[in-house]
Amino acid sequence: MIEISGVSKTFPARGKDAPVLALKDVDLRIEDGEFLTILGPSGCGKTTLLRMIAGLAEWDKGEITVNGTPVRGPGPDRAMVFQAFALMPWATVRDNTAFGLELRGVPKAQRRERADELLTLVGLKGFENRLPGQLSGGMQQRVGLARALAVDPEILLMDEPFGALDEQTRRLLQEELLLIWEKTRKTVIFITHSMEEAVLLGDRVALMSPRPGRILNITQVPLPRPRAAAVDQIEGSAEFAKITANLWGQLREMQTIRVHAGEEPAA
Amino acid sequence: MTAFRVQDYPLKNYQPRGGGPTKAQSGGLRALLSRSPWTYRLIVLAIIGGIWQAYATAAQLLLVPKFTDTMIGVVTLAINPDTWVAFMISNQALVVGFGISVVFGVLLGLGAARFRSIEGFVDPYLSILMVTPMAALIPILMMALGLDLSSRVVLVIVFAIPVIIVNSRTGVRQVDPNLIEMATSFGATEREIWVKILLPGALPAIMTGIRLGLGRGVTGMVIIELLMVAVGIGNLILRYQGNFSADLLYAVVILVIFEALILVSILRFIERKVAPWASQTVLRD
């Protein structure tokens, strides 16, 4: 279980820019085995929040605990999937997948075996010896997912993992992620700026608003599981349309209020 | 006032192209040229040789040998042991100086990327070295170090090391920050980040710096022999110049170019071996 209580963060003033209140009193509880999506416009601090949970960013006030232990840095219980894939261009797909295992000192034969197992899971069997530069974006992110799963974390932290992919590839990967998640039932925190993606994947959708970044509300998604085999039905359902429309309404509100207040909308 | 219309301002360089399927390229010369870069290279060489030959034949100048005579000179020198001795002497300075430049240049570059203190120390001198006409340092070196090998070695270093330092530092700096964050998130220590992310990531840039440094080192090696310490290759050049043996003089220069080309090709080969990911094709799914 992840508990975030009263977390605030201010980025100090830089040059002429005033200090920015990036996050204000964020409270959030994520249960074990839950798939939580965090939805929000650009600049609402959702990536900052995820990096804090990952132990990659610091905060000023409040506390984040994983299973009761305060987060003080990266840990073996959490693994991250990055928007920009973050694959080492000089290492083969297999070596990239085994990177987390290599850092833990797993012997070569075992990490090879484990990497190949996960590459099969994400549909990259036969590509083990390729370099990332020889793969398409979708395939590269499959490697990113396999690398995170390879260290068998309790919690997967996914930072807009499909944001850099084209629509068709994204839909395929959403289905595969659902399939994998329904098999492994890990706790997932998934950042996105797409309402459809947030609703399709999540058990709950946490809506964030910018300046200061805070959790505006949390929507329960009552769509049945497993969803992987029924994506088309789900997306065609009235329930799905209602929830996404409601979320979009709120997101649009965030932008229009800002315009009317004479402020630039977030880029 | 009439309304402004974009159409009133046509593009000056716009010509509609014909539609339809692309025409197959005709064979003949085009096919020959597309076969290999060497075809172009040999054609360019033949043109330069031809112009050179025509000019030298027409001008009849004492110090402009014919292209054919120069090529004969190249062969003459190549089979003369004295030439090889001269190249060995000169290359002593290159081997020692370039070796030192690679080791210390890479270390200083990496250090400058990692530690502000090293960067603060290296930066001003690096800027000076990058803009100073190196040849101007030669008399100073001579006075300080004398006429022996050490002054030649130092000159090679002074020529070669700045570009190696700068490229190594830039190489580390331009490593994708996402990779550093990724490694940190999987629990890498600072040492592991250096060994597993920064060094491999900077390797292509370091190798490029070394290759550029080699070219500059060869320049330094020849320049000091021409201007001050008349040994080795520089001595050969000065001797043939004094004898008005223009064909041999040109031949020496060509041999020096050959040497530099061979060394650079070797480095390029190593570069491709150690950093093969620098050139990649993308696979679609």
Side-chain angles (χ1 to χ4, degrees), chain B residues 98 101-102 105-106 159-169 202-217 267 271:
Chain B
F98 182 63
S101 299
V102 169
V106 171
F159 265 75
I161 207 167
V163 70
I164 300 179
I165 297 177
V166 169
N167 265 273
S168 305
R169 182 180 61 178
L203 196 57
I206 294 174
M207 289 304 300
T208 304
I210 289 174
R211 181 160 50 79
L212 295 175
L214 178 73
R216 290 174 180 227
L267 284 181
E271 216 172 313

mmCIF file of all heavy atoms in Angstrom, chain B residues 98 101-102 105-106 159-169 202-217 267 271:
data_model
loop_
_atom_site.group_PDB
_atom_site.id
_atom_site.type_symbol
_atom_site.label_atom_id
_atom_site.label_comp_id
_atom_site.label_asym_id
_atom_site.label_seq_id
_atom_site.Cartn_x
_atom_site.Cartn_y
_atom_site.Cartn_z
ATOM 1 N N PHE B 98 50.966 11.519 -28.770
ATOM 2 C CA PHE B 98 49.565 11.194 -28.968
ATOM 3 C C PHE B 98 49.069 10.256 -27.868
ATOM 4 O O PHE B 98 47.951 10.416 -27.362
ATOM 5 C CB PHE B 98 49.360 10.567 -30.357
ATOM 6 C CG PHE B 98 47.944 10.235 -30.674
ATOM 7 C CD1 PHE B 98 46.982 11.227 -30.751
ATOM 8 C CD2 PHE B 98 47.552 8.917 -30.895
ATOM 9 C CE1 PHE B 98 45.668 10.923 -31.045
ATOM 10 C CE2 PHE B 98 46.240 8.607 -31.179
ATOM 11 C CZ PHE B 98 45.302 9.611 -31.252
ATOM 12 N N SER B 101 48.422 12.298 -24.928
ATOM 13 C CA SER B 101 47.233 13.125 -25.172
ATOM 14 C C SER B 101 45.955 12.325 -24.959
ATOM 15 O O SER B 101 44.995 12.823 -24.368
ATOM 16 C CB SER B 101 47.240 13.671 -26.605
ATOM 17 O OG SER B 101 48.359 14.470 -26.812
ATOM 18 N N VAL B 102 45.933 11.076 -25.460
ATOM 19 C CA VAL B 102 44.725 10.260 -25.320
ATOM 20 C C VAL B 102 44.453 9.987 -23.839
ATOM 21 O O VAL B 102 43.354 10.245 -23.339
ATOM 22 C CB VAL B 102 44.859 8.934 -26.106
ATOM 23 C CG1 VAL B 102 43.720 7.980 -25.744
ATOM 24 C CG2 VAL B 102 44.856 9.207 -27.599
ATOM 25 N N GLY B 105 44.046 13.453 -21.965
ATOM 26 C CA GLY B 105 42.933 14.201 -22.548
ATOM 27 C C GLY B 105 41.596 13.614 -22.141
ATOM 28 O O GLY B 105 40.692 14.334 -21.708
ATOM 29 N N VAL B 106 41.464 12.286 -22.250
ATOM 30 C CA VAL B 106 40.205 11.646 -21.880
ATOM 31 C C VAL B 106 39.952 11.815 -20.379
ATOM 32 O O VAL B 106 38.855 12.189 -19.958
ATOM 33 C CB VAL B 106 40.206 10.150 -22.284
ATOM 34 C CG1 VAL B 106 38.997 9.442 -21.712
ATOM 35 C CG2 VAL B 106 40.250 10.003 -23.798
ATOM 36 N N PHE B 159 49.098 20.247 -29.657
ATOM 37 C CA PHE B 159 48.194 20.226 -30.810
ATOM 38 C C PHE B 159 47.016 19.292 -30.586
ATOM 39 O O PHE B 159 45.889 19.611 -30.935
ATOM 40 C CB PHE B 159 48.963 19.766 -32.074
ATOM 41 C CG PHE B 159 49.492 20.898 -32.899
ATOM 42 C CD1 PHE B 159 50.604 21.613 -32.483
ATOM 43 C CD2 PHE B 159 48.877 21.263 -34.085
ATOM 44 C CE1 PHE B 159 51.102 22.661 -33.240
ATOM 45 C CE2 PHE B 159 49.354 22.316 -34.845
ATOM 46 C CZ PHE B 159 50.472 23.013 -34.431
ATOM 47 N N ALA B 160 47.305 18.112 -30.032
ATOM 48 C CA ALA B 160 46.287 17.049 -30.055
ATOM 49 C C ALA B 160 45.322 17.099 -28.874
ATOM 50 O O ALA B 160 44.158 16.731 -28.995
ATOM 51 C CB ALA B 160 46.969 15.679 -30.104
ATOM 52 N N ILE B 161 45.806 17.549 -27.703
ATOM 53 C CA ILE B 161 45.023 17.299 -26.493
ATOM 54 C C ILE B 161 43.743 18.141 -26.365
ATOM 55 O O ILE B 161 42.743 17.633 -25.859
ATOM 56 C CB ILE B 161 45.915 17.406 -25.221
ATOM 57 C CG1 ILE B 161 45.326 16.535 -24.105
ATOM 58 C CG2 ILE B 161 46.084 18.842 -24.766
ATOM 59 C CD1 ILE B 161 46.286 16.316 -22.946
ATOM 60 N N PRO B 162 43.717 19.413 -26.830
ATOM 61 C CA PRO B 162 42.494 20.198 -26.564
ATOM 62 C C PRO B 162 41.238 19.539 -27.122
ATOM 63 O O PRO B 162 40.225 19.427 -26.427
ATOM 64 C CB PRO B 162 42.761 21.537 -27.257
ATOM 65 C CG PRO B 162 44.237 21.638 -27.342
ATOM 66 C CD PRO B 162 44.727 20.230 -27.521
ATOM 67 N N VAL B 163 41.299 19.064 -28.349
ATOM 68 C CA VAL B 163 40.097 18.520 -28.971
ATOM 69 C C VAL B 163 39.675 17.219 -28.287
ATOM 70 O O VAL B 163 38.493 16.895 -28.212
ATOM 71 C CB VAL B 163 40.316 18.351 -30.501
ATOM 72 C CG1 VAL B 163 41.280 17.233 -30.793
ATOM 73 C CG2 VAL B 163 39.004 18.129 -31.214
ATOM 74 N N ILE B 164 40.656 16.485 -27.751
ATOM 75 C CA ILE B 164 40.310 15.248 -27.026
ATOM 76 C C ILE B 164 39.602 15.593 -25.714
ATOM 77 O O ILE B 164 38.584 14.988 -25.366
ATOM 78 C CB ILE B 164 41.574 14.401 -26.770
ATOM 79 C CG1 ILE B 164 42.214 14.022 -28.102
ATOM 80 C CG2 ILE B 164 41.227 13.145 -25.970
ATOM 81 C CD1 ILE B 164 43.482 13.201 -27.968
ATOM 82 N N ILE B 165 40.127 16.595 -24.995
ATOM 83 C CA ILE B 165 39.494 17.006 -23.734
ATOM 84 C C ILE B 165 38.070 17.488 -24.004
ATOM 85 O O ILE B 165 37.109 17.046 -23.367
ATOM 86 C CB ILE B 165 40.298 18.135 -23.050
ATOM 87 C CG1 ILE B 165 41.697 17.649 -22.676
ATOM 88 C CG2 ILE B 165 39.567 18.636 -21.802
ATOM 89 C CD1 ILE B 165 42.576 18.715 -22.065
ATOM 90 N N VAL B 166 37.936 18.388 -24.970
ATOM 91 C CA VAL B 166 36.628 19.004 -25.230
ATOM 92 C C VAL B 166 35.604 17.940 -25.639
ATOM 93 O O VAL B 166 34.477 17.913 -25.137
ATOM 94 C CB VAL B 166 36.750 20.087 -26.325
ATOM 95 C CG1 VAL B 166 35.378 20.530 -26.799
ATOM 96 C CG2 VAL B 166 37.535 21.270 -25.786
ATOM 97 N N ASN B 167 36.012 17.016 -26.518
ATOM 98 C CA ASN B 167 35.068 15.995 -26.970
ATOM 99 C C ASN B 167 34.683 15.032 -25.857
ATOM 100 O O ASN B 167 33.529 14.615 -25.769
ATOM 101 C CB ASN B 167 35.651 15.208 -28.147
ATOM 102 C CG ASN B 167 35.199 15.778 -29.463
ATOM 103 O OD1 ASN B 167 34.159 15.430 -29.980
ATOM 104 N ND2 ASN B 167 35.967 16.706 -29.980
ATOM 105 N N SER B 168 35.637 14.673 -25.002
ATOM 106 C CA SER B 168 35.316 13.760 -23.899
ATOM 107 C C SER B 168 34.319 14.417 -22.956
ATOM 108 O O SER B 168 33.347 13.803 -22.521
ATOM 109 C CB SER B 168 36.578 13.374 -23.126
ATOM 110 O OG SER B 168 37.533 12.844 -24.001
ATOM 111 N N ARG B 169 34.585 15.688 -22.645
ATOM 112 C CA ARG B 169 33.692 16.396 -21.727
ATOM 113 C C ARG B 169 32.295 16.512 -22.327
ATOM 114 O O ARG B 169 31.294 16.184 -21.693
ATOM 115 C CB ARG B 169 34.251 17.790 -21.424
ATOM 116 C CG ARG B 169 33.408 18.557 -20.436
ATOM 117 C CD ARG B 169 33.965 19.919 -20.163
ATOM 118 N NE ARG B 169 34.013 20.721 -21.381
ATOM 119 C CZ ARG B 169 34.420 21.973 -21.414
ATOM 120 N NH1 ARG B 169 34.843 22.565 -20.329
ATOM 121 N NH2 ARG B 169 34.431 22.644 -22.540
ATOM 122 N N ALA B 202 29.348 8.163 -23.668
ATOM 123 C CA ALA B 202 30.277 9.184 -24.170
ATOM 124 C C ALA B 202 31.271 8.604 -25.167
ATOM 125 O O ALA B 202 31.986 9.352 -25.834
ATOM 126 C CB ALA B 202 31.025 9.817 -22.998
ATOM 127 N N LEU B 203 31.307 7.280 -25.274
ATOM 128 C CA LEU B 203 32.335 6.634 -26.089
ATOM 129 C C LEU B 203 32.411 7.126 -27.543
ATOM 130 O O LEU B 203 33.507 7.417 -28.042
ATOM 131 C CB LEU B 203 32.147 5.117 -26.038
ATOM 132 C CG LEU B 203 33.334 4.277 -26.514
ATOM 133 C CD1 LEU B 203 34.576 4.625 -25.718
ATOM 134 C CD2 LEU B 203 33.022 2.804 -26.385
ATOM 135 N N PRO B 204 31.278 7.256 -28.249
ATOM 136 C CA PRO B 204 31.386 7.734 -29.635
ATOM 137 C C PRO B 204 32.051 9.108 -29.717
ATOM 138 O O PRO B 204 32.916 9.329 -30.568
ATOM 139 C CB PRO B 204 29.926 7.798 -30.106
ATOM 140 C CG PRO B 204 29.187 6.870 -29.223
ATOM 141 C CD PRO B 204 29.882 6.910 -27.894
ATOM 142 N N ALA B 205 31.657 10.011 -28.820
ATOM 143 C CA ALA B 205 32.248 11.358 -28.846
ATOM 144 C C ALA B 205 33.723 11.312 -28.476
ATOM 145 O O ALA B 205 34.546 12.024 -29.070
ATOM 146 C CB ALA B 205 31.493 12.281 -27.886
ATOM 147 N N ILE B 206 34.084 10.459 -27.518
ATOM 148 C CA ILE B 206 35.492 10.333 -27.135
ATOM 149 C C ILE B 206 36.307 9.834 -28.319
ATOM 150 O O ILE B 206 37.377 10.358 -28.625
ATOM 151 C CB ILE B 206 35.642 9.380 -25.930
ATOM 152 C CG1 ILE B 206 34.984 10.000 -24.686
ATOM 153 C CG2 ILE B 206 37.107 9.071 -25.660
ATOM 154 C CD1 ILE B 206 34.951 9.075 -23.480
ATOM 155 N N MET B 207 35.784 8.818 -29.013
ATOM 156 C CA MET B 207 36.504 8.273 -30.166
ATOM 157 C C MET B 207 36.659 9.316 -31.261
ATOM 158 O O MET B 207 37.699 9.399 -31.910
ATOM 159 C CB MET B 207 35.766 7.041 -30.711
ATOM 160 C CG MET B 207 35.836 5.806 -29.840
ATOM 161 S SD MET B 207 37.518 5.287 -29.454
ATOM 162 C CE MET B 207 38.164 4.978 -31.099
ATOM 163 N N THR B 208 35.624 10.125 -31.474
ATOM 164 C CA THR B 208 35.730 11.197 -32.475
ATOM 165 C C THR B 208 36.822 12.186 -32.062
ATOM 166 O O THR B 208 37.636 12.605 -32.892
ATOM 167 C CB THR B 208 34.378 11.925 -32.610
ATOM 168 O OG1 THR B 208 33.378 10.974 -32.918
ATOM 169 C CG2 THR B 208 34.440 12.970 -33.702
ATOM 170 N N GLY B 209 36.848 12.534 -30.784
ATOM 171 C CA GLY B 209 37.885 13.442 -30.291
ATOM 172 C C GLY B 209 39.277 12.875 -30.517
ATOM 173 O O GLY B 209 40.197 13.589 -30.934
ATOM 174 N N ILE B 210 39.426 11.583 -30.282
ATOM 175 C CA ILE B 210 40.732 10.940 -30.468
ATOM 176 C C ILE B 210 41.137 10.972 -31.938
ATOM 177 O O ILE B 210 42.283 11.268 -32.283
ATOM 178 C CB ILE B 210 40.682 9.489 -29.935
ATOM 179 C CG1 ILE B 210 40.615 9.507 -28.402
ATOM 180 C CG2 ILE B 210 41.883 8.689 -30.409
ATOM 181 C CD1 ILE B 210 40.430 8.151 -27.765
ATOM 182 N N ARG B 211 40.165 10.728 -32.806
ATOM 183 C CA ARG B 211 40.468 10.734 -34.244
ATOM 184 C C ARG B 211 40.867 12.138 -34.715
ATOM 185 O O ARG B 211 41.842 12.309 -35.433
ATOM 186 C CB ARG B 211 39.243 10.231 -35.022
ATOM 187 C CG ARG B 211 39.419 10.172 -36.502
ATOM 188 C CD ARG B 211 38.400 9.221 -37.140
ATOM 189 N NE ARG B 211 37.029 9.466 -36.704
ATOM 190 C CZ ARG B 211 36.268 10.447 -37.189
ATOM 191 N NH1 ARG B 211 36.739 11.260 -38.099
ATOM 192 N NH2 ARG B 211 35.035 10.590 -36.754
ATOM 193 N N LEU B 212 40.108 13.149 -34.259
ATOM 194 C CA LEU B 212 40.463 14.527 -34.627
ATOM 195 C C LEU B 212 41.823 14.895 -34.035
ATOM 196 O O LEU B 212 42.640 15.554 -34.681
ATOM 197 C CB LEU B 212 39.398 15.505 -34.126
ATOM 198 C CG LEU B 212 38.020 15.369 -34.742
ATOM 199 C CD1 LEU B 212 37.036 16.319 -34.069
ATOM 200 C CD2 LEU B 212 38.076 15.646 -36.239
ATOM 201 N N GLY B 213 42.064 14.448 -32.799
ATOM 202 C CA GLY B 213 43.335 14.731 -32.130
ATOM 203 C C GLY B 213 44.504 14.134 -32.892
ATOM 204 O O GLY B 213 45.587 14.736 -32.966
ATOM 205 N N LEU B 214 44.297 12.965 -33.481
ATOM 206 C CA LEU B 214 45.366 12.335 -34.248
ATOM 207 C C LEU B 214 45.761 13.212 -35.439
ATOM 208 O O LEU B 214 46.947 13.449 -35.690
ATOM 209 C CB LEU B 214 44.929 10.956 -34.741
ATOM 210 C CG LEU B 214 45.983 10.255 -35.588
ATOM 211 C CD1 LEU B 214 47.120 9.779 -34.709
ATOM 212 C CD2 LEU B 214 45.402 9.094 -36.364
ATOM 213 N N GLY B 215 44.750 13.712 -36.160
ATOM 214 C CA GLY B 215 45.031 14.578 -37.299
ATOM 215 C C GLY B 215 45.852 15.785 -36.881
ATOM 216 O O GLY B 215 46.850 16.144 -37.525
ATOM 217 N N ARG B 216 45.464 16.390 -35.749
ATOM 218 C CA ARG B 216 46.193 17.561 -35.267
ATOM 219 C C ARG B 216 47.590 17.187 -34.803
ATOM 220 O O ARG B 216 48.538 17.949 -34.991
ATOM 221 C CB ARG B 216 45.434 18.207 -34.131
ATOM 222 C CG ARG B 216 44.172 18.849 -34.630
ATOM 223 C CD ARG B 216 43.351 19.361 -33.489
ATOM 224 N NE ARG B 216 42.151 19.981 -34.009
ATOM 225 C CZ ARG B 216 41.702 21.152 -33.615
ATOM 226 N NH1 ARG B 216 42.355 21.824 -32.686
ATOM 227 N NH2 ARG B 216 40.615 21.658 -34.132
ATOM 228 N N GLY B 217 47.715 16.012 -34.198
ATOM 229 C CA GLY B 217 49.020 15.552 -33.735
ATOM 230 C C GLY B 217 49.998 15.399 -34.894
ATOM 231 O O GLY B 217 51.167 15.789 -34.795
ATOM 232 N N LEU B 267 41.554 4.230 -36.822
ATOM 233 C CA LEU B 267 40.718 4.739 -35.724
ATOM 234 C C LEU B 267 39.242 4.646 -36.056
ATOM 235 O O LEU B 267 38.416 4.330 -35.205
ATOM 236 C CB LEU B 267 41.101 6.178 -35.390
ATOM 237 C CG LEU B 267 42.390 6.323 -34.591
ATOM 238 C CD1 LEU B 267 42.666 7.774 -34.283
ATOM 239 C CD2 LEU B 267 42.317 5.530 -33.292
ATOM 240 N N GLU B 271 36.489 2.754 -33.991
ATOM 241 C CA GLU B 271 35.272 3.479 -33.609
ATOM 242 C C GLU B 271 34.029 2.657 -33.932
ATOM 243 O O GLU B 271 33.116 2.528 -33.120
ATOM 244 C CB GLU B 271 35.247 4.782 -34.415
ATOM 245 C CG GLU B 271 34.697 5.986 -33.697
ATOM 246 C CD GLU B 271 34.916 7.240 -34.528
ATOM 247 O OE1 GLU B 271 36.045 7.445 -35.044
ATOM 248 O OE2 GLU B 271 33.964 8.014 -34.675
#
